[in-house]
Amino acid sequence: MTFAQRLDRIRGLTDTRLAALLRTNTERLEGDAPSPERLSQAIRHATLGGGKRFRPFLVIESAALFGLPEDAALDTAAAVECVHCYSLAHDDLPAMDNDALRRGQPTVWKAYGEWAAILAGDALLTAAFETLSQPATHASADVRLQLIAGLARAAGVAGMVGGQALDLEAERAAGRAPLSLAAILHLQRLKTGALIRFSCEAGAILGEAGDEAREALRRYGDAIGLAFQIADDLLDAEGDAATVGKAVSKDAAAGKATLVSLMGREAARAELARVETSAVAVLLPFGDRAGPLIEAARFVAARNR
Amino acid sequence: MTFAQRLDRIRGLTDTRLAALLRTNTERLEGDAPSPERLSQAIRHATLGGGKRFRPFLVIESAALFGLPEDAALDTAAAVECVHCYSLAHDDLPAMDNDALRRGQPTVWKAYGEWAAILAGDALLTAAFETLSQPATHASADVRLQLIAGLARAAGVAGMVGGQALDLEAERAAGRAPLSLAAILHLQRLKTGALIRFSCEAGAILGEAGDEAREALRRYGDAIGLAFQIADDLLDAEGDAATVGKAVSKDAAAGKATLVSLMGREAARAELARVETSAVAVLLPFGDRAGPLIEAARFVAARNR
């Protein structure tokens, strides 16, 4: 199977699993009692409206390093994707990034209203933890608790929420000096890096791997998280809306410092290549099994070409 | 100790534990890296700005039925309170209930802005699950997973989020018939009842109680959840802002159906007395240890007197 085929296959599996999870959630509300229709639609829009399912790919392929079949990592992959989709639904809100378009579609608040987007995000964040608490996720209670603790750290103040807050505080602080390169690297490590790193580490947790392997997956996750961000900034600086599926050059238009604006395009490309190399290097001890993750690093770095 | 003293004591313990939990969360971000100041302030405002800590009281006193000391239930109590505070921060937003005042103070969005209120809520919901995943919450991994699954159900689409969505859908559907009494009872069971019920059940989970005791605590929780709602509606219909600490008669002004407007005040008072009696009855098998929970049922029912 080529990398594109693998990614596509995992996307299909994840979509099916997510749809089943959301159905289970809604069925609990059935019977005579009225169910919140608009909320259900907003949740489906937030989760099933496309998306590469790159984080589920990382969970499943990281778990495969330790011999786990796709099925054994799929619920964890779906939980991680729920958290990703929740963060998009909230970050797109008018009070935050005020984005009307995502993946070529109206964002959740644009399609269903702000309250539905807020509650859909809340529901997805909650559903992620519920999913991880279930025996179907992994037979070992200790593994499930490690996944929950790790996902909570990646999502919370020391991760995504903290990163988004730093971003908004910097953007809205009148008269404050623009962020330094170090500050932007820190912010992105929290905002987007933390969940990507956890996606990779989750594979090692599911595989009950030793400390060394777990640390290797964390380092791989850090590297591709950074590569992802540099590639995203390059796309934003160079792409056009039709290719990217969302508004581009928004950061530049807002006069916002990015990795690319601070480093320059050429230096950013060189850094991207360096990070790609280090992501690949950390996987060498895993041998042939690491093929898909190595290709993933190349895929991320190549997004802007 | 009188009931008021017990409630006050648990309030103090919960405040201290919550403050420590939030400190731990923020400390992870320290060092050279900038920390999101406004977010931290919003989180503190959302959690430490007063509140009776009634749900923590229920967790701790339910656990006490099974011989657990306060300390052994305090992290669970704090996690439940984090979820309660998150829901207030989100529900108060302009896109939802648009409340500017709570506990006599500005609401989180009013004090720190909408984005900070959204992210503070997200952070608190996440922190609740992280707290429950930790060994300090309970020595048994299985107990911690049951708490996580139960809290997620109470908070999600089949609980608080679903109830809030039903409320908003009913309020905003132009030309839709007003809700029936059955529909309002269902809505409130989800919106406020689910977390109160879980608070009581959590004590049984922590105490590793049998099915019968666990079911009794769920029924007690259902009863006081309903009592809480009737008393709240009576307060809204009769109280004044100075006593209640938030805007009152808002539902009536909005022409919104409530339990009280549909039943009439006298019938609502009679139903409140009936529910109080059934809450007390379900606790009889627990003997003297149930004293504080019996007083809690009376306290809830008496709030509007």
Side-chain angles (χ1 to χ4, degrees), chain A residues 78-92:
Chain A
V80 166
E81 190 67 9
C82 282
V83 170
H84 177 57
C85 294
Y86 124 76
S87 76
L88 299 181
H90 280 191
D91 288 357
D92 284 339

Side-chain angles (χ1 to χ4, degrees), chain B:
Chain B
M1 236 190 289
T2 67
F3 171 73
Q5 284 168 332
R6 261 178 201 275
L7 188 58
D8 199 53
R9 174 178 165 73
I10 288 176
R11 191 178 51 69
L13 291 170
T14 305
D15 287 354
T16 307
R17 191 73 199 92
L18 279 172
L21 278 178
L22 302 182
R23 238 186 345 265
T24 309
N25 249 349
T26 311
E27 269 162 14
R28 284 200 203 128
L29 277 167
E30 279 177 12
D32 292 346
S35 79
E37 269 312 310
R38 201 173 182 84
L39 172 67
S40 299
Q41 288 164 0
I43 292 173
R44 279 195 297 272
H45 187 85
T47 40
L48 302 175
K52 291 182 298 296
R53 313 304 188 194
F54 184 60
R55 290 159 192 80
F57 176 91
L58 293 174
V59 173
I60 287 171
E61 293 296 351
S62 296
L65 291 183
F66 308 96
L68 267 75
E70 287 162 343
D71 252 18
L74 195 51
D75 280 4
T76 303
V80 166
E81 190 67 10
C82 283
V83 169
H84 177 56
C85 294
Y86 124 76
S87 76
L88 299 181
H90 281 192
D91 288 357
D92 285 338
L93 285 164
M96 297 225 246
D97 301 342
N98 194 24
D99 275 316
L101 192 66
R102 157 135 355 240
R103 297 168 184 158
Q105 300 285 325
T107 49
V108 186
W109 72 267
K110 198 74 185 171
Y112 296 99
E114 288 181 52
W115 69 260
I118 297 167
L119 290 179
D122 294 345
L124 287 167
L125 178 57
T126 307
F129 291 110
E130 182 174 4
T131 299
L132 293 182
S133 75
Q134 300 301 305
T137 293
H138 195 285
S140 154
D142 187 55
V143 163
R144 303 203 300 277
L145 287 164
Q146 285 182 52
L147 291 170
I148 290 163
L151 183 62
R153 275 190 175 235
V157 173
M160 299 164 79
V161 168
Q164 172 70 353
L166 283 173
D167 205 0
L168 292 167
E169 287 185 21
E171 193 181 303
R172 305 201 177 178
R176 197 187 282 189
L179 291 181
S180 66
L181 185 58
I184 290 184
L185 285 169
H186 170 66
L187 181 164
Q188 294 297 353
R189 225 179 103 84
L190 301 182
K191 183 172 167 168
T192 57
L195 190 62
I196 290 176
R197 177 167 65 167
F198 174 72
S199 301
C200 302
E201 189 180 5
I205 297 172
L206 286 164
E208 299 176 83
D211 288 347
E212 207 173 326
R214 196 160 154 174
E215 174 60 18
L217 266 298
R218 273 199 297 265
R219 284 171 55 206
Y220 167 79
D222 273 342
I224 58 159
L226 177 55
F228 200 88
Q229 191 57 47
I230 300 174
D232 211 51
D233 284 358
L234 282 166
L235 266 180
D236 191 70
E238 300 172 357
D240 66 273
T243 326
V244 187
K246 62 180 180 182
V248 291
S249 300
K250 217 186 134 180
D251 289 345
K256 198 167 156 180
T258 69
L259 296 178
V260 172
S261 73
L262 288 168
M263 302 171 85
R265 287 193 200 177
E266 282 319 301
R269 285 181 189 284
E271 175 67 4
L272 184 54
R274 191 195 65 76
V275 171
E276 178 187 343
T277 306
S278 83
V280 172
V282 86
L283 293 174
L284 289 180
F286 295 100
D288 286 350
R289 272 191 170 153
L293 290 179
I294 288 173
E295 289 185 82
R298 295 195 175 125
F299 165 76
V300 166
R303 277 205 308 153
N304 69 311
R305 281 173 212 146

Side-chain angles (χ1 to χ4, degrees), chain A residues 195-250:
Chain A
L195 190 61
I196 290 176
R197 176 167 65 166
F198 174 71
S199 301
C200 302
E201 188 179 5
I205 297 173
L206 285 165
E208 300 178 80
D211 288 346
E212 206 172 328
R214 197 161 155 172
E215 173 62 19
L217 265 298
R218 272 199 298 263
R219 283 171 54 207
Y220 168 79
D222 272 342
I224 59 160
L226 178 55
F228 201 86
Q229 192 55 48
I230 300 173
D232 211 50
D233 284 358
L234 282 166
L235 266 180
D236 191 72
E238 298 171 357
D240 65 276
T243 326
V244 186
K246 61 179 181 181
V248 292
S249 301
K250 219 187 131 177

Side-chain angles (χ1 to χ4, degrees), chain A residues 100-293:
Chain A
L101 192 67
R102 156 139 353 242
R103 296 168 187 158
Q105 301 285 325
T107 49
V108 187
W109 73 267
K110 197 76 185 170
Y112 296 99
E114 288 180 52
W115 69 261
I118 297 167
L119 290 178
D122 293 346
L124 287 167
L125 178 57
T126 307
F129 291 110
E130 182 173 5
T131 299
L132 293 182
S133 75
Q134 300 302 305
T137 293
H138 195 283
S140 155
D142 187 54
V143 164
R144 302 202 302 275
L145 286 165
Q146 285 182 51
L147 291 170
I148 290 164
L151 183 60
R153 274 189 177 235
V157 173
M160 299 163 78
V161 168
Q164 173 70 353
L166 283 173
D167 205 1
L168 291 167
E169 287 186 20
E171 193 180 304
R172 305 203 176 176
R176 197 186 283 187
L179 291 181
S180 66
L181 185 58
I184 290 184
L185 285 169
H186 170 66
L187 182 165
Q188 295 296 354
R189 223 179 105 85
L190 302 183
K191 183 173 169 168
T192 58
L195 190 61
I196 290 176
R197 176 167 65 166
F198 174 71
S199 301
C200 302
E201 188 179 5
I205 297 173
L206 285 165
E208 300 178 80
D211 288 346
E212 206 172 328
R214 197 161 155 172
E215 173 62 19
L217 265 298
R218 272 199 298 263
R219 283 171 54 207
Y220 168 79
D222 272 342
I224 59 160
L226 178 55
F228 201 86
Q229 192 55 48
I230 300 173
D232 211 50
D233 284 358
L234 282 166
L235 266 180
D236 191 72
E238 298 171 357
D240 65 276
T243 326
V244 186
K246 61 179 181 181
V248 292
S249 301
K250 219 187 131 177
D251 290 345
K256 199 168 154 180
T258 69
L259 296 178
V260 172
S261 73
L262 287 168
M263 301 170 86
R265 287 192 199 176
E266 282 318 302
R269 285 178 189 284
E271 175 68 3
L272 184 54
R274 191 195 64 76
V275 171
E276 179 188 343
T277 305
S278 82
V280 171
V282 85
L283 294 175
L284 289 180
F286 295 100
D288 286 350
R289 275 190 168 155
L293 290 179

